[in-house]
């Protein structure tokens, strides 16, 4: 039974602690959506949460599975495209069986996201669900961070130990799970990328193929023509005569075919290694899932290294040449019209200049797009919000925070609506959810409070006054079939045609590879620091002597005054807010009513020398001061048995020594004693009253000595603030 009770108590304490720890909530875009704590002590803690129904890990799972299904569709189409399959086989040694293996893995991963074979396909881990990061930084403590999933609550971040720094910075960062998956997969597979593409060798190979094709094509055309004639004559002519006529031609064709075939073999043997990219097979297989086109790319990322900008120094020379020739042309036109040749030169110079400029411009545009794509790829995380909190020490100084939401016209978002603070503490006005180029502008006015009073007095005085007032009113050729007469030449031609077809295929492979780029293998991940939201301290955090009333409003200003964003800010009139800085009093005036059980009498003599004995009223109105044992906050509305916000008992600051006087005849009754403020403005007094009376000595029927001594007595009283007592006096007409 005892263990059960202990566990229940522990659970109760845990629940109680969880309820006391403030939770700062953000939406999916990083905007603070919850109320914020008005104060934090060095022994407190905070928690964080991203709460947004639209921001879930499923959103990125859908993006991931959609990509896998897209790749599956492209690979299925690739299997039916012979030409593209030929490129994949020749360049990478990837065949249909390899593609089927990847497709099967894609299917497995889409049906079992966390447990499938992922040799060629990356997959998410359970920990990837925690893609929001909370970082809390205090220069006196250090930095601590934790990753959380959307719609979960973080662990508690303690804000101690308290040092010289009172400010705590917190940040919310969002990691894009899909982008992070791609970058991590790149880091894991970069070792599979073997060798860089040698563009120089490929360009030279293509140029040599083109040159050889240009040389062989006329010969092949002439040979086909001769052999067609031979075939026609062979049908009805004499064999010996035809052989005698065409034998030299056939021998020449056969000899040249043999020579060309040998040269083609040598060219392929010397250059084909540049086309062989089989060392990249594993790389290609592991990135087929990420492809966006039917023919897979070596670099599927959309950006690469562009190299150096084209040299434009020739432009200066061309401009000088152009100026000279245009000036010369002007002189020629004045003398003669024969300037065609000079115009041709000028045109060629302008064309050359335009070509250089366009090439440089195209490079700059490509570079800008390339850099933009590279930044987008590397940017796996984004800072969503950087906020500020202040931490105080109840034994020294409390930092009271007034939180305003810039996204909602600076509405107050405090968890408690406290608007009165002590002068020994600090008031910090914070603006949250400011956008990137926004600055919070504070307009603050401090006004002296000349007639300070307790809350009770402040609330009752208008009522009393109102009552008082109421009472007062490239192509290839097909094979040619020849008869036995021309077989010796036909064999050579057929072999040559096959060799030319092989060259054409290499031309296709080269064009494919020249369109490829080497992928970036070393990626430095980037965090987008252009914050969506941030917080600012809008007022100087300093001590202000009370009592004062602060009135203020906040407006948004822009870092760039000419920004087009100026149209969106300050559309609504600014709301005005106020708070008080309360003074701690050691001495405070009072007024009230007392009752004395002692029956004080006085002897008086009238004009006829008749004596009379008069009994004074037991009830008196008094005015005086209270001297508190500990400085008191007259605006604290708690009963004296409670504690203040620092955890101290209130009664020492509610207990006072009193010195008061009769309101009508100040020197006739002097009151000393103790007072206890049940609430500020409602004090119970007791002590000793010194009543002044007349003492006369008579001798021979005449007064020879007249004294006015004081006699003591006990009194019990009820007092309040002097200002409320004044209103009561007016109301009661005393």
């Amino acid at each position: 039974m005892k263990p059960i009770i202990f566990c229940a108590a522990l659970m109760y304490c845990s629940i109680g602690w969880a309820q006391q720890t403030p939770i700062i909530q953000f939406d999916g875009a990083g905007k603070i959506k919850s109320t914020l704590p008005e104060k934090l002590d060095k022994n407190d803690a905070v928690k964080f949460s991203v709460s947004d129904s639209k921001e879930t890990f499923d959103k990125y799972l859908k993006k991931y599975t959609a990509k896998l299904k897209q790749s599956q569709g492209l690979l299925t189409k690739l299997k039916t495209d012979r030409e593209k399959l030929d490129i994949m086989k020749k360049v990478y040694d990837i065949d249909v069986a390899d593609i089927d293996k990847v497709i099967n893995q894609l299917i497995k991963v889409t049906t079992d996201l966390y447990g499938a074979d992922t040799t060629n396909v990356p997959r998410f881990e359970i920990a990837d669900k925690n893609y929001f990061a909370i970082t809390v930084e205090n220069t006196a403590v250090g930095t601590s961070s934790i990753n959380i999933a959307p719609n979960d609550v973080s662990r508690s971040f303690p804000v101690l130990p308290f040092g010289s720094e009172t400010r705590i910075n917190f940040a919310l960062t969002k990691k894009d799970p899909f982008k992070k998956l791609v970058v991590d997969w790149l880091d894991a597979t970069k070792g599979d990328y073997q060798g860089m593409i040698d563009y120089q060798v490929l360009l030279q190979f293509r140029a040599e193929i083109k040159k050889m094709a240009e040389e062989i094509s006329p010969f092949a055309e002439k040979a086909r023509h001769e052999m067609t004639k031979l075939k026609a004559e062979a049908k009805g002519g004499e064999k010996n005569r035809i052989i005698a006529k065409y034998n030299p031609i056939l021998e020449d064709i056969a000899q040249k075919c043999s020579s060309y075939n040998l040269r083609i073999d040598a060219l392929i043997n010397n250059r084909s290694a540049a086309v062989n990219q089989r060392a990249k097979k594993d790389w290609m297989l592991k990135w087929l899932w990420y492809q966006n086109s039917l023919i897979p790319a070596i670099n599927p990322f959309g950006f690469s290294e562009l190299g150096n900008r084209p040299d434009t120094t020739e432009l200066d020379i061309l401009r000088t040449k152009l100026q000279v020739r245009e000036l010369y042309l002007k002189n020629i036109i004045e003398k003669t019209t024969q300037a065609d040749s000079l115009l041709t030169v000028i045109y060629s110079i302008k064309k050359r200049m335009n070509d250089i400029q366009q090439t440089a411009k195209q490079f700059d545009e490509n570079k800008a797009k390339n850099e933009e794509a590279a930044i987008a790829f590397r940017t796996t995380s984004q800072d969503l919000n950087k906020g500020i909190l202040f931490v105080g020490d109840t034994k020294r100084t409390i930092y009271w925070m007034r939180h305003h939401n810039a996204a909602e016209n600076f509405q107050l978002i405090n968890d408690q609506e406290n608007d009165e603070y002590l002068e020994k503490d600090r008031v910090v006005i914070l603006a949250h959810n400011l956008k990137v180029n926004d600055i919070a502008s504070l307009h603050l006015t401090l006004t002296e409070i000349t007639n300070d009073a307790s809350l009770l007095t402040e609330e009752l005085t208008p009522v009393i006054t109102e009552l008082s007032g109421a009472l007062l009113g490239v192509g290839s050729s097909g094979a040619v079939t020849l008869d036995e007469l021309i077989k010796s030449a036909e064999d050579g031609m057929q072999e040559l045609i096959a060799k030319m077809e092989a060259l054409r295929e290499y031309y296709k492979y080269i064009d494919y590879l020249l369109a490829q780029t080497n992928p970036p293998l070393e990626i430095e991940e980037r965090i987008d620091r252009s914050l969506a939201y941030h917080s600012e301290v809008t007022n100087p955090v300093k001590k202000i002597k009370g009592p004062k009333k602060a009135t203020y409003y906040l407006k948004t200003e822009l870092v760039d005054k000419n920004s087009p964003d100026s149209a969106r800010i300050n559309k609504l009139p600014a709301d005005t807010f106020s708070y008080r800085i309360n003074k701690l009093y050691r001495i405070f005036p009072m007024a009230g009513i007392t009752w004395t059980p002692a029956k004080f009498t006085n002897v008086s003599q009238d004009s006829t020398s008749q004596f009379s004995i008069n009994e004074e009223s037991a009830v008196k109105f008094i005015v005086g001061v209270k001297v508190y044992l500990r400085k008191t906050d007259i605006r604290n509305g708690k009963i004296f048995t409670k504690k203040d916000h620092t955890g101290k008992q209130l009664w020492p600051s509610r207990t006072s020594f009193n010195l008061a006087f009769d309101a009508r005849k100040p020197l006739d009754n002097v009151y000393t004693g103790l007072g206890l403020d049940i609430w500020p403005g409602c004090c119970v007094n007791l002590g000793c009253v010194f009543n002044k009376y007349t003492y006369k000595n008579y001798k021979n029927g005449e007064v020879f000595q007249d004294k006015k001594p004081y006699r003591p007595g006990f009194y019990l009283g009820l007092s309040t603030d002097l200002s409320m007592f004044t209103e009561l006096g007016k109301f009661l007409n005393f």
Side-chain angles (χ1 to χ4, degrees):
M1 186 65 182
K2 289 183 178 179
I4 295 175
I5 295 173
F6 174 78
C7 291
L10 184 61
M11 289 177 63
Y12 177 81
C13 293
S14 300
I15 293 171
W17 170 250
Q19 291 173 339
Q20 294 173 3
T21 304
I23 300 175
I24 300 174
Q25 288 187 343
F26 305 89
D27 65 15
K31 182 165 49 177
I32 296 173
K33 58 183 289 187
S34 64
T35 58
L36 297 176
E38 66 173 357
K39 67 182 179 72
L40 286 173
D41 182 69
K42 64 177 185 177
N43 296 317
D44 288 339
V46 291
K47 293 182 178 182
F48 298 88
S49 172
V50 178
S51 179
D52 194 330
S53 59
K54 296 180 181 179
E55 184 60 53
T56 64
F57 186 62
D58 286 343
K59 179 171 71 173
Y60 300 96
L61 281 180
K62 289 178 181 178
K63 183 177 181 180
Y64 170 64
T65 54
K67 185 67 176 176
L68 299 186
K69 289 178 180 179
Q70 178 196 33
S71 301
Q72 182 183 339
L74 290 173
L75 292 176
T76 302
K77 290 181 180 179
L78 176 61
K79 292 197 303 177
T80 63
D81 192 318
R82 290 187 177 183
E83 184 173 346
K84 292 180 176 59
L85 270 178
D86 178 58
I87 293 175
M88 299 301 291
K89 179 64 178 176
K90 184 66 178 180
V91 177
Y92 307 113
D93 194 30
I94 293 176
D95 55 21
V96 172
D98 295 317
I99 295 173
D100 280 335
K101 182 179 178 181
V102 175
I103 290 175
N104 289 334
Q105 289 186 13
L106 289 171
I107 295 171
K108 287 181 180 179
V109 173
T110 52
T111 55
D112 185 5
L113 292 173
Y114 300 107
D117 176 15
T118 58
T119 305
N120 295 314
V121 183
R123 62 180 175 86
F124 283 117
E125 302 291 341
I126 298 295
D128 293 328
K129 294 181 178 181
N130 303 323
Y131 58 89
F132 283 99
I134 302 292
T135 303
V136 177
E137 176 187 4
N138 184 332
T139 54
V141 181
T143 301
S144 58
S145 62
I146 190 173
N147 294 327
I148 62 170
N151 304 306
D152 282 350
V153 179
S154 74
R155 64 165 171 80
S156 296
F157 285 86
V159 295
L160 57 93
F162 182 80
S164 59
E165 290 293 329
T166 58
R167 171 171 167 160
I168 284 183
N169 301 317
F170 63 89
L172 174 68
T173 303
K174 176 185 176 182
K175 176 176 62 182
D176 187 310
F178 182 73
K179 283 188 175 182
K180 180 63 175 172
L181 179 76
V182 176
V183 171
D184 287 348
W185 187 246
L186 174 58
D187 187 61
T189 60
K190 62 184 179 183
D192 295 317
Y193 192 80
Q194 300 295 319
M196 295 293 177
I197 302 172
D198 194 334
Y199 298 101
Q200 197 64 36
V201 172
L202 288 171
L203 287 170
Q204 189 173 353
F205 190 10
R206 187 171 69 169
E208 290 173 347
I209 291 175
K210 183 178 180 182
K211 182 179 179 182
M212 186 167 288
E214 290 174 350
E215 181 182 346
I216 293 174
S217 291
F219 161 74
E221 185 64 30
K222 182 179 179 181
R224 280 195 296 269
H225 177 70
E226 293 293 340
M227 293 174 72
T228 300
K229 285 171 58 179
L230 172 60
K231 184 178 179 181
E233 291 186 23
K235 288 181 179 180
E238 296 180 8
K239 184 180 294 187
N240 292 334
R241 182 184 63 80
I242 294 172
I243 292 174
K245 179 180 178 181
Y246 284 98
N247 188 54
I249 298 174
L250 293 173
E251 287 181 353
D252 183 62
I253 291 173
Q255 185 179 3
K256 287 185 177 179
C257 283
S258 177
S259 175
Y260 283 134
N261 288 334
L262 290 173
R263 287 173 60 188
I264 291 173
D265 287 341
L267 177 60
I268 291 175
N269 290 335
N270 291 335
R271 301 296 190 190
S272 62
V275 174
N276 183 356
Q277 301 292 325
R278 297 184 179 187
K280 298 180 177 65
K281 179 177 180 178
D282 287 343
W283 166 269
M284 291 299 297
L285 290 175
K286 290 178 181 178
W287 284 100
L288 288 179
W289 73 275
Y290 194 69
Q291 300 293 332
N292 292 311
S293 59
L294 189 57
I295 180 70
I298 291 180
N299 177 7
F301 307 121
F303 66 97
S304 61
E305 295 293 334
L306 294 182
N308 297 324
R309 188 175 188 269
D311 187 7
T312 59
T313 55
E314 186 184 353
L315 284 173
D316 293 334
I317 300 172
L318 291 172
R319 289 190 187 97
T320 303
K321 288 182 178 181
L322 182 62
Q323 289 174 356
V324 171
R325 281 158 179 76
E326 285 181 336
L327 181 61
Y328 187 53
L329 177 63
K330 182 179 179 182
N331 294 331
I332 290 177
I333 291 173
E334 290 176 353
K335 297 176 181 179
T336 178
T337 58
Q338 302 300 320
D340 291 346
S341 60
L342 190 56
L343 286 170
T344 302
V345 173
I346 291 174
Y347 173 78
S348 64
I349 292 174
K350 287 183 176 180
K351 185 178 184 304
R352 175 60 181 159
M353 290 176 64
N354 183 68
D355 290 344
I356 294 173
Q357 291 169 339
Q358 289 300 318
T359 302
K361 180 182 178 182
Q362 186 65 48
F363 178 88
D364 292 340
E365 291 176 353
N366 291 340
K367 183 179 180 181
K369 292 178 182 178
N370 191 72
E371 290 176 350
E372 183 179 351
I375 290 173
F377 183 83
R378 293 193 300 112
T379 305
T380 57
S381 300
Q382 180 186 14
D383 283 339
L384 297 183
N385 201 321
K386 281 194 173 180
I388 302 168
L389 294 173
F390 278 74
V391 179
D393 186 349
T394 54
K395 294 182 180 179
R396 293 190 289 180
T397 304
I398 294 176
Y399 285 79
W400 295 95
M401 295 174 283
R402 296 181 65 84
H403 303 284
H404 291 270
N405 185 359
E408 298 292 338
N409 200 33
F410 292 103
Q411 292 302 303
L412 198 64
I413 52 172
N414 277 38
D415 58 355
Q416 298 181 31
E417 295 185 6
N418 186 25
D419 57 3
E420 298 196 13
Y421 314 101
L422 298 179
E423 60 183 357
K424 72 181 185 67
D425 297 327
R426 305 289 184 270
V427 177
V428 187
I429 302 174
L430 293 163
H432 302 281
N433 294 334
L434 288 160
K435 291 191 175 181
V436 179
N437 295 316
D438 292 356
I439 301 173
S441 174
L442 174 69
H443 302 263
L444 175 68
T445 303
L446 290 172
T447 307
E448 291 281 352
I449 297 174
T450 56
N451 189 21
D452 202 7
S454 65
L455 283 172
L456 183 65
T457 298
E458 190 174 86
E459 292 172 1
L460 290 181
T461 296
V463 177
I464 296 169
T465 303
E466 186 177 345
L467 287 173
S468 178
L471 293 174
L472 297 173
V474 175
S476 65
S477 59
V480 180
T481 304
L482 302 176
D483 56 22
E484 294 180 359
L485 186 62
I486 57 174
K487 190 176 185 304
S488 59
E490 182 185 35
D491 291 343
M493 283 296 296
Q494 286 180 339
E495 186 179 358
L496 180 60
I497 291 170
K499 300 288 186 184
M500 289 296 292
E501 181 65 21
L503 281 182
R504 190 189 73 82
E505 292 296 313
Y506 271 101
Y507 207 90
K508 178 178 67 177
Y509 306 146
I510 292 169
D511 278 349
Y512 164 75
L513 285 171
L514 287 174
Q516 305 304 305
T517 57
N518 290 307
L521 300 179
E522 297 296 335
I523 292 293
E524 183 179 352
E525 291 186 56
R526 175 181 176 272
I527 299 177
D528 184 359
R529 302 290 185 185
S530 58
L531 301 176
Y533 299 103
H534 66 280
S535 301
E536 288 182 0
V537 180
T538 64
N539 65 317
V541 183
K542 62 181 182 180
K543 183 177 181 179
I544 297 175
K545 191 174 181 180
K548 285 186 176 65
K549 181 179 181 180
T551 304
Y552 69 96
Y553 65 91
L554 289 160
K555 296 187 73 174
T556 302
E557 293 185 359
L558 296 175
V559 176
D560 180 6
K561 303 294 184 182
N562 299 319
S563 170
D565 287 345
S566 58
R568 67 168 169 80
I569 65 171
N570 301 324
K571 289 186 176 181
L572 298 174
D575 288 342
T576 300
F577 304 91
S578 63
Y579 61 89
R580 283 178 52 114
I581 301 296
N582 294 335
K583 181 179 178 63
L584 289 173
Y585 290 95
R586 176 74 72 182
I587 300 173
F588 197 75
M590 71 170 188
I593 187 170
T594 64
W595 171 77
T596 303
K599 295 182 179 181
F600 293 130
T601 58
N602 280 312
V603 177
S604 61
Q605 185 178 13
D606 59 17
S607 58
T608 61
S609 299
Q610 296 295 319
F611 292 94
S612 62
I613 298 175
N614 302 313
E615 184 176 327
E616 293 188 16
S617 172
V619 177
K620 299 286 186 181
F621 293 103
I622 61 171
V623 176
V625 294
K626 296 183 285 188
V627 181
Y628 289 96
L629 295 180
R630 189 176 73 205
K631 286 187 176 182
T632 189
D633 175 15
I634 65 169
R635 305 287 297 181
N636 188 325
K638 294 180 180 179
I639 194 169
F640 74 97
T641 57
K642 300 291 185 179
K643 296 180 180 180
D644 63 16
H645 53 257
T646 67
K648 295 179 180 178
Q649 293 289 341
L650 279 172
W651 68 264
S653 65
R654 298 287 179 83
T655 304
S656 59
F657 296 104
N658 304 154
L659 176 63
F661 302 91
D662 191 325
R664 292 182 175 178
K665 297 180 179 180
L667 296 180
D668 281 7
N669 290 282
V670 179
Y671 298 83
T672 61
L674 297 175
L676 177 64
D677 291 1
I678 308 301
W679 293 278
C682 179
C683 180
V684 175
N685 309 89
L686 58 86
C688 183
V689 56
F690 295 93
N691 176 255
K692 186 178 183 181
Y693 66 98
T694 302
Y695 179 82
K696 298 178 183 290
N697 282 330
Y698 290 87
K699 188 175 183 181
N700 300 324
E702 294 182 358
V703 177
F704 76 93
Q705 188 178 26
D706 192 350
K707 296 181 179 180
K708 293 186 180 294
Y710 287 91
R711 54 193 171 189
F714 172 78
Y715 79 91
L716 182 66
L718 184 67
S719 62
T720 185
D721 297 347
L722 183 59
S723 57
M724 186 167 75
F725 188 79
T726 302
E727 293 299 323
L728 277 170
K730 293 178 182 178
F731 177 67
L732 298 175
N733 195 26
F734 65 83

